[in-house]
Amino acid sequence: MAGSGITRRSFVSAAVAAAGLGLAACGSAQSQTQSTSSTAAGPTPTAKTLTVFAAASLTESLTEAGELFKAANDGVGISFNFDSSGTLKTQIQEGADCDVFISAGQKQMNQLDAGAASGNSDGLDLINHDTRFDILENKVTLCVPEGNPKAIQGFDDMVQKLRAHDILLGMGNSDVPVGQYTQKILAYYNLDETELAGAGCITYGTNVKEVTSQVFEAAVDCGVIYKTDATSANLTMVDEATEEMCGRVVYPAAAIKNAPQPELAASFLDFLKTKDAGDCFEKVGFTPLAEA
């Protein structure tokens, strides 16, 4: 999901090169390539691209914030990789190029951070701990399709209907933060997830966007997703989980130790603490935690 594009500088360079080739009516492919990267004033500096791995629930808001960052940093591009935090953690662990990681849960960040107080069971040391901070808070909500066909009123009502095997619940996989929060909610109500899944009362998504789509398309009777995804998809939220039910939903952000663009990563993390970035997050229901 590349966030970079053709800058005004590179467009002008290409136009100048094309005009020169038209006048000369000749030139090899090699000379064309060289011409598009230079002007009369000399070579254009190589464009820098920041690679950001971020939880799928950040897709809309972080993309918007990224456009503001690019506008303020001429010539900089951003390549976004949005997916479940568990999948992104695995990709980073396996050596994928990444500058900044923003997880939807502390667990996945801790697994990569040797400086974490707990949760670093594999001894991985891939996070620049000094750059780490909590950037956002989200909420876990219960959402229903348009018209709410099963008339689900909230979590208490969902529980009764699940026990009666009367509804189909959409939730994230166990390696996905939103799935882990849902598991805590099921445990809070003393529901047996394995039994419900075996009875055909639960279906799963590989990330929160898949669960959101299941609800939007009425493929399920209800789904547990983040407030921000429900807001972006204009879904009906019938209840919001309390901290007692599933804990706080806090997103940590940090630079990767072997970031290809460490200075750009630091600059981007600083930008995410600004009010301009915070406004992008608040639009969809996030609560910024680190505004400068």
Side-chain angles (χ1 to χ4, degrees):
M1 302 182 181
S4 59
I6 299 176
T7 64
R8 181 174 63 85
R9 178 180 298 174
S10 62
F11 178 82
V12 171
S13 298
V16 170
L21 288 171
L23 289 174
C26 65
S28 65
Q30 181 180 1
S31 66
Q32 291 179 37
T33 302
Q34 292 171 342
S35 295
T36 57
S37 64
S38 63
T39 66
T44 300
T46 302
K48 294 182 179 180
T49 298
L50 180 76
T51 302
V52 179
F53 282 27
S57 50
L58 284 161
T59 300
E60 295 83 6
S61 56
L62 192 60
T63 297
E64 182 179 354
E67 290 301 316
L68 296 179
F69 182 76
K70 289 194 295 182
N73 294 271
D74 186 35
V76 167
I78 303 180
S79 175
F80 286 114
N81 180 16
F82 294 107
D83 210 323
S84 75
S85 299
T87 296
L88 298 175
K89 173 259 177 185
T90 299
Q91 292 173 352
I92 293 170
Q93 182 177 347
E94 292 177 348
D97 283 342
C98 176
D99 294 300
V100 171
F101 179 38
I102 307 176
S103 171
Q106 302 288 354
K107 177 180 178 180
Q108 290 74 22
M109 186 70 77
N110 288 347
Q111 289 173 330
L112 299 175
D113 184 4
S118 62
N120 187 247
S121 57
D122 294 331
L124 298 173
D125 188 12
L126 302 177
I127 296 297
N128 184 342
H129 184 76
D130 291 341
T131 68
R132 180 175 173 173
F133 64 97
D134 291 337
I135 179 173
L136 300 165
E137 182 170 7
N138 208 340
K139 298 295 182 181
V140 173
T141 65
L142 180 64
C143 295
V144 295
E146 185 176 1
N148 194 4
K150 289 299 181 77
I152 298 168
Q153 303 303 308
F155 281 111
D156 290 347
D157 189 34
M158 175 200 76
V159 169
Q160 296 305 316
K161 289 179 166 66
L162 280 174
R163 284 178 175 151
H165 294 178
D166 285 341
I167 60 172
L168 177 61
L169 167 69
M171 63 178 281
N173 288 337
S174 60
D175 65 336
V176 179
V178 73
Q180 293 161 0
Y181 292 124
T182 307
Q183 288 180 319
K184 291 180 180 180
I185 293 171
L186 296 178
Y188 175 82
Y189 283 104
N190 294 314
L191 289 173
D192 187 333
E193 179 189 349
T194 302
E195 185 274 328
L196 290 171
C201 296
I202 295 179
T203 187
Y204 296 89
T206 60
N207 59 49
V208 70
K209 292 301 182 187
E210 283 195 12
V211 183
T212 301
S213 294
Q214 290 170 358
V215 179
F216 184 83
E217 296 167 3
V220 295
D221 299 310
C222 60
V224 178
I225 63 175
Y226 297 123
K227 178 181 179 180
T228 53
D229 292 281
T231 300
S232 296
N234 292 317
L235 292 177
T236 300
M237 292 177 272
V238 295
D239 207 350
E240 184 175 291
T242 64
E243 184 174 344
E244 181 183 7
M245 292 166 65
C246 65
R248 291 181 67 201
V249 184
V250 176
Y251 289 47
I256 302 301
K257 266 199 168 183
N258 62 343
Q261 300 286 349
E263 293 182 0
L264 198 56
S267 180
F268 185 67
L269 288 172
D270 285 341
F271 168 75
L272 294 180
K273 299 176 184 178
T274 67
K275 185 179 185 304
D276 286 342
D279 288 344
C280 296
F281 299 128
E282 286 183 325
K283 285 180 184 177
V284 297
F286 279 113
T287 301
L289 299 176
E291 284 192 7

